[in-house]
Amino acid sequence: MHRFDLPIVVLLFCVPHFLAAQTAQPRTHQNFDRDWKFAFGHAQNPEKDFNYGLETVLAKSGGAANTAIEPRFKDSLWRSLDLPHDWGVELPFVFDPAFNVMAHGYKPLGGKYPATSVGWYRKHFSVAKAEQGKRFEIQFDGVFRDAEFWINGFYLGNNKSGYIGVAYDITDFLRFDAENVLVVRVNATQYEGWFYEGAGIYRHVWLNSFEETHILHNGIFAHAEMEGENAELMVETELAYDGNLTKGLITEVFLTDRNGIVVASSLSPPPFMEVNYGKMIHMLTVTKPRLWDLDDPYLYRIQVLVKKSGKIVDQQTLKFGFRTIEIKPNGLLLNGKKLKILGVNCHQDHAGVGSAMPDYLQYYRIDLLKNLGVNAYRTSHNPPTPELLDACDSLGMLVMDETRLLNS
């Protein structure tokens, strides 16, 4: 949605952003970065990898005793840390003729370094019994790489790519008013690029909760087209619902300006429903929207409400910018005006912190580039962290959002 390399791209970009309502929220989006435990495993020796061998690899629902997967495993001697974390940047420099001039910053990562290329993370947490009845989801924005996930000894899944986030519904495995243990094994022995990529849970982790009827993960897509000075905004929302209780289920969409004033709204038509799945489409006419521009990066807010029998059961807010982009033989036009691209090609890491970038540093870098005259940013060579795209949207920077091939 932040692309500008297509022949014509019209009025696209929106980034999920959750806002606290004045009343109790049916949905929560809790930062889960604090109070993790960390230890190195081993890529070749199961005994040095907390007994992670063939038997435990195949254990999906318990049965991984004497391993770091087991909830009762003692991790008190492990290192305590907060996320985001890149263990690669902490490693000593190693001169290895096998490295080319750019590979991994001369850090001992990869198949030749089994003792420093696998890391284990564990987090202990509790959920109040009063929350029982909601759905719970654990969301990882980025783990480098080839990560395995467990909750209370139950296997959640595997995510190969270090740049594509993943989310899992953990509701059925939670213990309420008791300790829960989340475990992640990260294997950085293989690369996705030829550049420094880091290692570990280097982006944010979130614990989300919502009602049985809710908006799916990344379930809102908004796009628009200009018709003269006005715009037609389409908002598509994907829902999960509790099977036989669809009567009285509606969605409402409001477009507000920065001050919270509603400038357009729409009530859902009859929903398209399948088994436990629904899709709502809203069309909003926006009169003379203020266009997003490099020098005036104006962002509206799209608020999506899901109601059942008049009660709000889910709510999400997205930032949205109206703009037009055309690429023609004589150049690029932004909002109908010719623009000379003054672009840079940037990797996600930064000196001193590696790939575990603090949010403020994303804004600092984009602001610095703008002050140098840059107006376009290529995310080499992978999808970036959401906070980088937020910084570009809010500060006024065009983006070419790249991707990798692995499971993306």
Side-chain angles (χ1 to χ4, degrees), residues 58 62 67 69 75 109 113 118 126 150 159-160 168 173 177 186 198 229 232 272 289 318 338 358 373 378:
L58 299 176
T67 74
I69 301 168
D75 58 19
L109 290 169
Y113 303 97
V118 170
S126 61
W150 296 265
N159 191 43
K160 293 291 184 188
Y168 298 104
F173 312 116
D177 276 349
V186 185
E229 292 185 323
E232 289 296 318
F272 168 73
L318 296 82
K338 189 173 181 179
R378 176 187 174 193

Side-chain angles (χ1 to χ4, degrees), residues 43-158:
Q44 296 178 358
N45 188 336
E47 292 183 3
K48 296 180 180 180
D49 199 29
F50 305 104
N51 299 313
Y52 184 72
L54 180 61
E55 296 83 2
T56 52
V57 168
L58 299 176
K60 305 297 183 184
S61 55
N66 301 317
T67 74
I69 301 168
E70 165 61 41
R72 291 171 293 183
F73 176 87
K74 302 298 182 182
D75 58 19
S76 58
L77 297 181
W78 286 22
R79 175 185 171 189
S80 297
L81 53 78
D82 296 334
L83 305 178
H85 174 234
D86 174 7
W87 83 68
V89 76
E90 301 172 349
L91 296 174
F93 291 101
V94 172
F95 177 75
D96 188 332
F99 289 154
N100 66 38
V101 69
M102 296 184 290
H104 306 284
Y106 288 99
K107 298 291 186 172
L109 290 169
K112 288 184 63 177
Y113 303 97
T116 52
S117 295
V118 170
W120 287 83
Y121 294 85
R122 288 169 54 92
K123 181 175 175 65
H124 301 253
F125 67 99
S126 61
V127 178
K129 194 169 185 178
E131 299 296 313
Q132 202 163 2
K134 289 187 174 183
R135 305 302 299 181
F136 287 84
E137 174 188 76
I138 192 71
Q139 172 187 333
F140 292 85
D141 285 348
V143 183
F144 196 88
R145 65 174 292 275
D146 195 2
E148 309 279 356
F149 305 88
W150 296 265
I151 181 74
N152 294 332
F154 290 88
Y155 183 67
L156 296 174
N158 168 255

Side-chain angles (χ1 to χ4, degrees), residues 24 35 54 66 86 113 123 132 138 153 159 163 184 197 233 255 301 340 343 347 358 369 405:
D35 301 322
L54 180 61
N66 301 317
D86 174 7
Y113 303 97
K123 181 175 175 65
Q132 202 163 2
I138 192 71
N159 191 43
Y163 303 109
V184 185
E197 297 183 284
L233 172 65
L255 181 70
R301 272 65 173 168
K340 183 177 181 179
H347 291 265
L369 288 171
L405 296 177

Side-chain angles (χ1 to χ4, degrees), residues 193-247:
W194 57 95
F195 39 86
Y196 179 81
E197 297 183 284
I201 308 178
Y202 73 100
R203 294 182 185 173
H204 293 305
V205 179
W206 308 91
L207 180 66
N208 304 321
S209 72
F210 33 76
E211 302 293 337
E212 287 284 349
T213 299
H214 60 270
I215 300 168
L216 291 177
H217 185 73
N218 290 331
I220 303 176
F221 177 63
H223 51 105
E225 292 186 4
M226 288 296 292
E227 296 183 0
E229 292 185 323
N230 301 329
E232 289 296 318
L233 172 65
M234 178 180 287
V235 181
E236 303 177 47
T237 304
E238 294 181 294
L239 301 176
Y241 70 96
D242 45 2
N244 59 349
L245 298 176
T246 61
K247 186 177 180 180

